[in-house]
Amino acid sequence: GAVVSQHPSRVICKSGTSVKIECRSLDFQATTMFWYRQFPKQSLMLMATSNEGSKATYEQGVEKDKFLINHASLTLSTLTVTSAHPEDSSFYICSAGPRGNIQYFGAGTRLSVL
Amino acid sequence: RKEVEQDPGPFNVPEGATVAFNCTYSNSASQSFFWYRQDCRKEPKLLMSVYSSGNEDGRFTAQLNRASQYISLLIRDSKLSDSATYLCVVNGNYGGSQGNLIFGKGTKLSVKP
């Protein structure tokens, strides 16, 4: 099946640090990737849609200057959490799909900001 | 009304039991429906798509009622390994082909020996 690789799996950082998370589609090209966030005991919430070669589309309430998305190639999207604060601590997951409707998820990145 | 609502759970059942999960969605224009399972502190993994005619995959049966905007998942002969959170998922890009998924909060299942 399609594979999506996400790195790193775990980040612990100090407040004010910027953290970059990578999402790669390994055996297919993805013009669109999605970034989700999941707080404990909550459902996954879409943060933004990453579009190859163009600007990302952010969901309401998600600060685009805080969560920078770059989708420079058909197999890589990155999410940078700038100047991270403790309230940004969460589980961040990306997804992509070879045919759109069925999405495959990266293993997720657990971010802890101290 | 939330876009995707599920039984809150948790469901605690013995091995071998049959368990059913329900889900409702709010937008009648939704076109694609899925059940994912998520293990603790892991990413969601696709369990099965849900088709209008209903579909079965081994011990798992999914059904869709478009008129009632209702989705169900039935698990027969529960195994210990079925313990997970089951997520009802609807494609949010109504009419499009993109993968914007809307997740329910999930129903936690614990299968006991």
Side-chain angles (χ1 to χ4, degrees), chain A residues 10 31-32 34 36 38 41-44 46 59 91 93 95 99-108 110, chain B residues 32 34 36 38 40-46 49 51 87 91 96-106:
Chain A
R10 184 81 167 97
T31 55
T32 303
F34 299 89
Y36 296 84
Q38 186 177 33
K41 299 186 179 181
Q42 299 294 315
S43 58
L44 274 77
L46 180 66
E59 295 300 300
F91 190 44
I93 311 178
S95 77
R99 289 178 298 279
N101 268 355
I102 293 180
Q103 291 288 296
Y104 297 90
F105 288 84
R110 196 161 298 281
Chain B
S32 302
F34 311 92
Y36 279 74
Q38 186 174 23
C40 188
R41 303 174 77 85
K42 299 284 189 182
E43 77 278 18
K45 293 186 177 176
L46 179 66
S49 300
Y51 303 116
L87 306 173
N91 189 312
S97 60
Q98 295 303 310
N100 174 8
L101 302 178
I102 298 176
F103 289 80
K105 279 194 171 182

Side-chain angles (χ1 to χ4, degrees), chain A residues 67-111:
Chain A
F67 299 99
L68 300 179
I69 290 174
N70 186 296
H71 195 151
S73 78
L74 286 169
T75 58
L76 174 64
S77 174
T78 60
L79 168 70
T80 300
V81 183
T82 61
S83 187
H85 290 285
E87 58 266 29
D88 299 322
S89 298
S90 188
F91 190 44
Y92 293 86
I93 311 178
C94 68
S95 77
R99 289 178 298 279
N101 268 355
I102 293 180
Q103 291 288 296
Y104 297 90
F105 288 84
T109 298
R110 196 161 298 281
L111 173 63

